[in-house]
Amino acid sequence: MLRYQENNELHRDFHGTTNMTIEYIARKYGADALKEILRRTGREVYRSIREKLAKGDASELLEHLNWFYFREGAPYQLTVSADEIKMEVFECPAHKHLKTLGLPVSEYNCLQTSEVNAGMCENTPWESSVEILGPGHCVQTFRRKGEVEK
């Protein structure tokens, strides 16, 4: 069971708040400070995911990815093998909502995904990467360290 699984009303406006907050932190304190905050979020807020990944168990990560993107109605494709998890997000729900609000997407928005994912994988047998394919379109990959791309 997910440590944090919101089942109540979905308030997408948090995307606007998050976007403005990461922009503010990066401008005021620099990109390195933002990266450390985001990585710490991955380590601490998603601690139970990281702890399971450290034991080789990716079940909670899979549940997390499925739940949050499904809940937002985001089009995605999840491909899972024993040593690799790939999640292609065809339309980022944050980007979509920011457009709806008429707000620009921060240049640091995708950094949020890559650094939080890296924090979740820190000190585990897993590593992560994010490949940006276009605005709001990315592939998040979680791979067991030492595995070569097939």
Side-chain angles (χ1 to χ4, degrees):
M1 182 66 148
L2 283 175
R3 181 176 176 212
Y4 296 110
Q5 183 173 345
E6 297 132 16
N7 292 310
N8 52 356
E9 186 179 346
L10 178 61
H11 294 284
R12 287 186 175 89
D13 287 342
F14 77 89
H15 290 305
T17 303
T18 301
N19 189 64
M20 292 172 64
T21 301
I22 62 176
E23 185 68 27
Y24 173 81
I25 292 168
R27 299 285 178 228
K28 181 144 177 95
Y29 301 104
D32 287 340
L34 177 62
K35 285 179 182 179
E36 178 51 36
I37 291 167
L38 295 170
R39 242 182 228 230
R40 188 178 303 154
T41 300
R43 280 191 315 263
E44 299 304 323
V45 173
Y46 299 106
R47 178 178 56 241
S48 61
I49 292 173
R50 186 173 48 80
E51 288 171 349
K52 284 190 176 181
L53 287 174
K55 295 175 184 173
D57 179 358
S59 64
E60 192 169 340
L61 172 64
L62 289 167
E63 189 177 358
H64 167 79
L65 293 171
N66 263 317
W67 173 249
F68 283 97
Y69 285 90
F70 171 78
R71 185 167 189 252
E72 291 222 35
Y76 68 92
Q77 180 177 337
L78 191 58
T79 308
V80 181
S81 70
D83 297 319
E84 184 178 81
I85 299 163
K86 276 194 183 231
M87 176 149 182
E88 184 167 2
V89 179
F90 298 101
E91 184 178 30
C92 173
H95 288 213
K96 181 179 179 180
H97 190 68
L98 292 168
K99 285 182 201 174
T100 301
L101 295 174
L103 296 173
V105 176
S106 170
E107 68 181 276
Y108 302 100
N109 191 273
C110 295
L111 182 69
Q112 176 182 359
T113 300
S114 63
E115 292 300 318
V116 168
N117 288 357
M120 286 191 288
C121 291
E122 202 168 279
N123 298 319
T124 77
W126 293 82
E127 59 191 354
S128 64
S129 64
V130 176
E131 179 184 5
I132 308 300
L133 301 177
H137 183 194
C138 74
V139 175
Q140 300 175 45
T141 303
F142 297 85
R143 183 177 292 120
R144 288 187 194 271
K145 292 176 185 170
E147 295 300 317
V148 290
E149 206 168 318
K150 296 173 177 131

